[in-house]
Amino acid sequence: QVDLPPSITLVNNPLLPQFLSLPMFTDFDRCPDGVLPTESFLCELGAQANNTKADELTSAVLACPPADCLDYGCPGHEFATKGLQGCLNVTADIDATFTVEFLVFDKLLSASVFRTVIIVSPCTTKQAPFFCPDRTCSPIDCDVRDNLAALTGVVTDNIPPVIVFATDNTTTDTTTGKPTIVTPGAGIQTM
């Protein structure tokens, strides 16, 4: 009788497809037992495996086993205990791609499946879609934001702007709360 390799199936979910776009800095590891991924808590479901005799091998599924241990079964790399440790880096650059391998042995035969994880921008809202080098999300292009900040001397976008109303020559400086007079050609005078 010829031995056949075990079968292994990647566990997918509407929030956990085979090709996963993962926002940078998002914690991502094995789902706790009995927990499914949600939009606010992404987690890995791993793979299910069995042999040709229908023996359950899921607890023996390995996650990202290094090549140098494959000859002796990679103890300590079981997904059920290791999770995704060493499989991917959630602080990697945007567009970094990680291939997460799930592998199972039955006797000397093995089978594997893969999930591809692509690191994407953490800035997912329309209000602040630009990811900047200072690791913040901005409502405007980062270079434009930084150039505006340099021109105004503002080093943070938490300071409200000075608002000038065109209806008359008076306004209020929103940073100090003091009334000001705007005289065409003479600039702004604080009272």
Side-chain angles (χ1 to χ4, degrees), residues 121-145:
S121 172
C123 304
T124 58
T125 66
K126 289 181 181 179
Q127 292 80 13
F130 297 96
F131 183 62
C132 299
D134 63 356
R135 294 187 171 197
T136 62
C137 297
S138 173
I140 59 174
D141 176 82
C142 305
D143 290 336
V144 172
R145 179 198 70 174

Side-chain angles (χ1 to χ4, degrees), residues 3-8 48-52 55-78 101-113:
D3 284 331
L4 296 173
S7 66
I8 186 167
Q48 296 176 334
N50 53 28
N51 64 17
T52 56
D55 296 327
E56 180 70 30
L57 299 175
T58 300
S59 64
V61 169
L62 307 174
C64 310
D68 62 358
C69 71
L70 294 177
D71 290 341
Y72 56 91
C74 299
H77 290 278
E78 296 82 7
E101 179 182 20
F102 296 98
L103 181 134
V104 66
F105 285 100
D106 184 33
K107 300 178 185 167
L108 297 176
L109 301 173
S110 67
S112 59
V113 292

Side-chain angles (χ1 to χ4, degrees), residues 4-15:
L4 296 173
S7 66
I8 186 167
T9 306
L10 189 64
V11 180
N12 291 317
N13 163 296
L15 296 173

